[in-house]
Amino acid sequence: MQAKIVAGIRKESNVYILTNAAGELSAWVKPIAEELERSWPEARVVVVLTPSQYLTGQEEEYTKALPGVDQVIPVKDFRKLLFMGTSYLKEGSNLKGCILSLGGDLIYPVLLKARLGYPAFAYIEKRKQWVNQFVEFFTRDTVGDLMVDSLAGIKPPTAKALTAPDFRIALLPGSRSFQLKYMIPFYTRVAEQLQYKYPNLQFVWKISPFSSKDFQRFNKSAFPVSNSLEGFDLAITIPGTNTAHLSIMGIPILCVMPLNWPQVVPLEGIWEYLGRLPLLGSIIKELVIRIAIKSMRYLALPNIIAKQMVVPEVWGRVTEQEVALAAEKLLLDMNGREAMGKQIRAIMGPGGAAKKIVSEIKETVLSR
């Protein structure tokens, strides 16, 4: 077995982490990489970015800055790794190791497993696939929620009255270009309506590290920008990982999903191509999206987990006035906001998922 010494630590095993999008990198890969560095420093951590229609183009740069990551394989080089194996990397070619899928299509870890011969694991939210190809599927029910680990140690805010001079509202428009193009002006108009009625309100953009360039291109407002979610009393956000992050921090949420621009929403498989048809494309997309959302019942992750409407949701062809009224209802109900913050924090559960996952894969690799 060929080992390599990095920063005084002898690397004796490979851990290939496969992932694809911004949410998975910040919520799942980050706590796993940190736990690997803490409890298994002998592991050589290689993050492999797999193909996805949701990529922003800034994933590689973000991942390289994560503690505990030794190497990043960009999307453009994924095929090289797949066809050439560890000979493409040159380093660690004779080390034993494992594959851990943290987001993206499960066919990618299956293909890489066939190439490298490593045991494969996956942390999943949806249904299991390729069951006989994985040693184990980790889920929120079996090990806990990795997103809780990604925000460990942050204290929830204390509920404030609407009249408080430092009442801060976070605006989260998403991280993808098509979201920012439409949601930034939409949220700006919502905020301006609320601020006209309640001048003390402070609106702040919370921008993903994956979308800073697009944000600058589309933002015409005078609202400041923050890279952190700490210190906010309410958040207005689209569905997605953000709703889990906010819940873990105990920040009350208004979840907004306008379907005013169905033509720009990416769909899976054949529906995306049908949605591009002239004239009928936007109609098909809107119909598919509406059916998909209705089948989900809930959009915000704490609602999905709790299977009840804890966080208010506004979706469909909605106006800025409708969203502003929904936000105002929350703003006027200080007790309701306080109760929501406690409830959504409890819904997300305790931390510890990263430690359990790393312990399991480490035991498997070292016992082989």
Side-chain angles (χ1 to χ4, degrees):
M1 179 177 68
Q2 177 187 0
K4 183 183 179 182
I5 297 177
V6 178
I9 298 176
R10 190 176 182 84
K11 300 291 182 175
E12 298 179 343
S13 304
N14 288 322
V15 176
Y16 284 88
I17 298 176
L18 272 63
T19 191
N20 64 340
E24 285 79 0
L25 279 166
S26 61
W28 293 357
V29 176
K30 179 176 177 287
I32 287 291
E34 290 172 347
E35 181 60 33
L36 283 166
E37 184 179 48
R38 180 166 47 249
S39 63
W40 194 11
E42 299 83 11
R44 180 171 167 270
V45 180
V46 181
V47 176
V48 183
L49 300 174
T50 58
S52 170
Q53 60 180 312
Y54 301 113
L55 294 171
T56 66
Q58 299 185 57
E59 286 80 6
E60 182 181 358
E61 183 180 354
Y62 174 87
T63 309
K64 285 180 177 178
L66 290 178
V69 173
D70 295 294
Q71 186 172 358
V72 180
I73 308 298
V75 176
K76 63 182 180 64
D77 289 344
F78 176 68
R79 289 183 180 178
K80 293 181 181 178
L81 175 64
L82 198 59
F83 291 111
M84 298 175 64
T86 51
S87 61
Y88 153 68
L89 301 177
K90 296 182 181 179
E91 297 176 3
S93 58
N94 296 324
L95 300 181
K96 55 186 177 180
C98 68
I99 297 165
L100 175 61
S101 176
L102 296 177
D105 197 320
L106 289 176
I107 187 59
Y108 296 127
V110 169
L111 292 174
L112 191 59
K113 175 192 175 186
R115 186 67 183 83
L116 300 181
Y118 287 164
F121 301 80
Y123 182 83
I124 59 171
E125 287 182 323
K126 301 179 181 179
R127 62 187 178 90
K128 299 177 182 178
Q129 294 175 302
W130 309 94
V131 177
N132 62 340
Q133 297 294 317
F134 291 86
V135 175
E136 188 170 350
F137 288 95
F138 303 109
T139 68
R140 187 180 187 281
D141 293 332
T142 59
V143 297
D145 197 320
L146 271 175
M147 285 184 278
V148 177
D149 290 348
S150 70
L151 295 167
I154 296 178
K155 295 181 179 180
T158 302
K160 294 175 184 173
L162 174 56
T163 55
D166 57 345
F167 199 108
R168 301 176 77 227
I169 300 177
L171 301 172
L172 293 86
S175 60
R176 300 176 182 112
S177 182
F178 75 89
Q179 294 169 330
L180 297 171
K181 180 179 180 180
Y182 294 94
M183 293 308 300
I184 288 175
F186 186 89
Y187 276 170
T188 299
R189 291 189 290 270
V190 170
E192 287 173 346
Q193 288 186 33
L194 289 167
Q195 206 168 46
Y196 179 80
K197 194 169 183 178
Y198 305 101
N200 63 300
L201 295 179
Q202 300 175 22
F203 288 91
V204 181
W205 295 108
K206 167 55 181 77
I207 299 303
S208 164
F210 303 93
S211 61
S212 57
K213 294 179 182 178
D214 284 332
F215 173 77
Q216 293 170 5
R217 181 154 54 105
F218 297 122
N219 180 39
K220 306 299 180 184
S221 76
F223 301 140
V225 178
S226 174
N227 294 320
S228 171
L229 279 171
E230 291 189 75
F232 288 102
D233 304 291
L234 178 69
I236 303 176
T237 181
I238 63 171
T241 307
N242 282 335
T243 60
H245 284 170
L246 292 162
S247 297
I248 294 164
M249 298 176 72
I251 300 173
I253 301 167
L254 174 62
C255 183
V256 181
M257 180 65 173
L259 300 181
N260 304 16
W261 317 280
Q263 71 275 12
V264 302
V265 179
L267 300 176
E268 300 288 345
I270 191 173
W271 295 113
E272 176 61 23
Y273 296 99
L274 291 175
R276 297 177 186 176
L277 293 174
L279 301 178
L280 292 176
S282 61
I283 298 174
I284 292 172
K285 272 200 168 186
E286 182 170 6
L287 180 61
V288 172
I289 292 167
R290 284 183 175 274
I291 293 173
I293 290 178
K294 284 185 177 180
S295 67
M296 290 173 61
R297 294 187 65 189
Y298 305 111
L299 301 181
L301 285 170
N303 293 345
I304 293 171
I305 295 169
K307 298 180 181 179
Q308 60 178 305
M309 193 69 73
V310 180
V311 170
E313 300 177 349
V314 181
W315 66 274
R317 287 188 175 272
V318 297
T319 65
E320 294 90 342
Q321 291 82 1
E322 290 173 308
V323 175
L325 285 172
E328 184 178 22
K329 185 177 179 180
L330 275 176
L331 291 170
L332 292 169
D333 187 4
M334 185 176 74
N335 292 335
R337 282 187 279 109
E338 183 176 16
M340 184 198 299
K342 291 178 180 178
Q343 189 173 2
I344 58 179
R345 191 172 169 87
I347 286 170
M348 299 308 295
K355 187 174 183 179
K356 293 175 185 176
I357 292 172
V358 169
S359 176
E360 178 89 12
I361 65 174
K362 179 180 179 181
E363 182 180 352
T364 300
V365 171
L366 297 183
S367 64
R368 288 170 68 87

